[in-house]
Amino acid sequence: MAKDLRSAAPGADAVARRRANVRLALILASVALIFFLGFIVRIALYGAH
């Protein structure tokens, strides 16, 4: 059964949740960076038009 995150007491659950949030943030930032770099490469190869 899944725990209700709103009722989690500070402690190990909070640390685990924070680590999961940090991991998710790093994954999303990586995806955004890859799209940005792809956009830059496309402009460099094919020009602005």
Side-chain angles (χ1 to χ4, degrees):
M1 292 280 192
K3 281 182 140 181
D4 186 6
L5 293 178
R6 291 173 292 170
S7 66
D13 289 340
V15 171
R17 195 175 343 125
R18 181 174 177 83
R19 283 188 183 165
N21 287 343
V22 168
R23 179 181 166 151
L24 178 61
L26 290 174
I27 291 170
L28 293 176
S30 301
V31 171
L33 181 65
I34 289 169
F35 274 108
F36 179 71
L37 290 177
F39 184 71
I40 297 299
V41 168
R42 186 183 68 113
I43 288 177
L45 291 178
Y46 300 115
H49 334 223

